[in-house]
């Protein structure tokens, strides 16, 4: 975008972003209910996103971030991660991705939530039920001990 074009857009109180990544463009499209158009000749009124309530640019650290807030029908969100270093941020990002995948699985299949020690808890419950119904006397103790020990693993993961 040329400086002259940007000057006239700012003069009309229109913010234009340039040199953006495709993923950022897609987020803006979903947040503002817009459509990506590559040629000005193909631009239609319904392609222009009017779903964004407030647009602002804020500087955090040494980078500038664009914020679209108060959107009417947003279909996306951004989580801004801050941390002491790149390695820690990668770990936080990985854990966040895992958490979102688990939340998605629970949302679409509320009867199954695997991971985070669920297998150990399931084994512990089955073993405890087996001990109560099938094994008598002092022979129960090792099985009950293993069942109780399996419950420790999920607590360690938390």
């Amino acid at each position: 975008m040329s400086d002259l074009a940007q000057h006239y857009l700012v003069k009309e109180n229109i913010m234009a972003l340039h040199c953006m990544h495709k993923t950022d463009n897609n987020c803006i499209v979903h947040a503002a209910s817009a459509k990506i158009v590559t040629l000005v000749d193909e631009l239609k009124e319904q392609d222009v996103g009017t779903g964004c309530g407030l647009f602002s640019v804020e500087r955090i650290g040494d980078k500038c971030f664009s914020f679209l807030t108060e959107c009417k029908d947003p279909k996306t969100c951004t989580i801004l991660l801050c941390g002491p270093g790149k390695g820690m941020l990668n770990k936080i990002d990985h854990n966040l991705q895992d958490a979102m995948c688990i939340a998605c699985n629970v949302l679409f299949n509320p009867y199954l939530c695997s991971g985070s020690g669920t297998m150990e808890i399931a084994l512990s419950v089955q073993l405890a039920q087996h001990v109560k119904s099938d094994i008598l006397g002092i022979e129960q103790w090792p099985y009950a001990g293993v069942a109780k020990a399996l419950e420790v693993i999920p607590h360690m993961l938390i």
Side-chain angles (χ1 to χ4, degrees), residues 5 13 43 53 63:
N13 203 20
L43 187 64
K63 293 187 178 184

Side-chain angles (χ1 to χ4, degrees), residues 44-55:
K44 299 180 190 121
E45 188 174 341
Q46 62 265 23
D47 297 336
V48 178
T50 57
C52 177
L54 205 63
F55 174 81

Side-chain angles (χ1 to χ4, degrees), residues 69-139:
T69 56
E70 300 177 18
C71 297
K72 293 177 187 166
D73 186 25
K75 295 176 179 63
T76 185
C77 79
T78 300
I79 300 172
L80 186 61
L81 301 176
C82 297
K86 198 166 190 111
M88 183 61 79
L89 282 173
N90 287 337
K91 287 181 182 181
I92 293 170
D93 182 46
H94 180 74
N95 289 337
L96 184 62
Q97 285 287 344
D98 285 347
M100 289 191 304
C101 288
I102 289 169
C104 185
N105 288 340
V106 169
L107 183 68
F108 290 115
N109 190 359
Y111 305 106
L112 175 66
C113 179
S114 60
S116 300
T118 53
M119 183 61 74
E120 289 82 0
I121 291 292
L123 283 171
S124 173
V125 168
Q126 291 293 323
L127 196 55
Q129 288 174 352
H130 176 67
V131 166
K132 287 180 184 175
S133 62
D134 297 336
I135 302 172
L136 301 172
I138 201 168
E139 294 174 358

